[in-house]
Amino acid sequence: MRKEVASKINHFSTIHRFFVVTGREERYMKILAPDLKPTGWVLENGALLLLENRRIVNAPEDWFETRKIIGEKLTKFGISYSFGDVIIYVNSWNGKLDLGPEVRIERNREDAMILPGNVDKGTGLRRAIQEMHLEGKIVAVGDAENDESLFKVADVKVAVANAIPSIKRMADLVMEKEDGEGVIELLDMILSGRFPKNIDVN
């Protein structure tokens, strides 16, 4: 993550609450965004929350036994995978596999994430907000399939310029810029009060 993006988010977080909601693992975020200091982290598509000094596994108690069985199934079918702290990552895989009702497969462009059936970015963010006893409207920004659940819990949905078509169709607002630059564009819009009048963020 570029330093100016981290700096903008860090400044914004001193005025408003800002959660990084991502499918990535904690170890990769430490490499990609070492300077980033948001209000909280919702990682692994909502399955792992880092809130102040708390680390919360947002998954059923029996999930890790289920995860072990899924790993064995993937190995049997010759599907390469890796374990996150909570979920399973499968890179460059568009196949289908029946893993049972308690398991869901979340797509992120060419990759897939396997996680508990009732866990996604939206439920992860909701739990983070509840754990921190916060109130207010949720403005969410996204770009890929796994942001659809995030948009479902948001009051205002924002897509960056390089978001996939389905996310842009769901969005209330589409940024002119891509990725982190699009996030900066959004934060500047909020801080300066230039949000479109037809979209209520108050």
Side-chain angles (χ1 to χ4, degrees), residues 23 45 74 79 87-99 104-115 119-121 143-149 164 166-167:
N45 260 34
L74 294 174
I79 299 169
I87 70 174
I88 303 173
Y89 293 90
V90 186
N91 295 328
S92 302
W93 179 62
N94 289 311
K96 292 184 178 181
L97 203 61
D98 183 8
L99 299 173
R104 62 193 302 269
I105 298 174
E106 185 79 78
R107 300 290 175 183
N108 184 6
R109 300 183 188 267
E110 288 78 33
D111 301 329
M113 287 163 274
I114 301 173
L115 58 162
V119 174
D120 55 37
K121 282 187 174 183
D143 67 350
E145 294 94 333
N146 61 338
D147 291 312
E148 291 182 8
S149 64
I164 62 173
S166 63
I167 288 295

Side-chain angles (χ1 to χ4, degrees), residues 9-181:
I9 290 173
N10 291 347
H11 170 67
F12 186 89
S13 298
T14 65
I15 303 169
H16 302 284
R17 303 292 185 172
F18 187 101
F19 291 87
V20 174
V21 185
T22 178
R24 294 183 185 273
E25 295 175 69
E26 179 184 7
R27 57 177 175 153
Y28 288 123
M29 293 311 299
K30 287 181 177 179
I31 296 170
L32 295 171
D35 302 317
L36 192 57
K37 296 177 177 61
T39 303
W41 298 84
V42 178
L43 304 173
E44 298 196 19
N45 260 34
L48 179 64
L49 313 180
L50 305 180
L51 308 175
E52 298 171 326
N53 296 321
R54 291 184 293 160
R55 182 185 186 87
I56 300 170
V57 173
N58 187 35
E61 290 184 5
D62 62 351
W63 166 248
F64 291 97
E65 182 59 32
T66 301
R67 186 177 78 156
K68 178 183 176 183
I69 294 170
I70 294 170
E72 291 170 353
K73 284 186 179 181
L74 294 174
T75 299
K76 178 181 177 181
F77 285 100
I79 299 169
S80 180
Y81 66 92
S82 64
F83 286 133
D85 284 324
V86 183
I87 70 174
I88 303 173
Y89 293 90
V90 186
N91 295 328
S92 302
W93 179 62
N94 289 311
K96 292 184 178 181
L97 203 61
D98 183 8
L99 299 173
E102 73 279 9
V103 178
R104 62 193 302 269
I105 298 174
E106 185 79 78
R107 300 290 175 183
N108 184 6
R109 300 183 188 267
E110 288 78 33
D111 301 329
M113 287 163 274
I114 301 173
L115 58 162
N118 62 345
V119 174
D120 55 37
K121 282 187 174 183
T123 60
L125 178 60
R126 278 291 186 199
R127 180 163 180 188
I129 290 170
Q130 291 168 0
E131 291 282 346
M132 296 189 72
H133 308 290
L134 301 177
E135 295 181 351
K137 289 200 171 181
I138 298 173
V139 179
V141 57
D143 67 350
E145 294 94 333
N146 61 338
D147 291 312
E148 291 182 8
S149 64
L150 182 61
F151 275 13
K152 288 177 182 177
V153 304
D155 297 293
V156 179
K157 299 168 279 294
V158 181
V160 290
N162 59 322
I164 62 173
S166 63
I167 288 295
K168 287 184 176 180
R169 286 193 294 269
M170 292 179 70
D172 300 303
L173 184 65
V174 178
M175 296 290 96
E176 295 181 0
K177 297 179 181 179
E178 300 181 353
D179 299 323
E181 294 299 321

Side-chain angles (χ1 to χ4, degrees), residues 187-195:
L187 299 188
D188 282 341
M189 190 177 290
I190 294 172
L191 290 172
S192 65
R194 290 185 292 103
F195 225 83

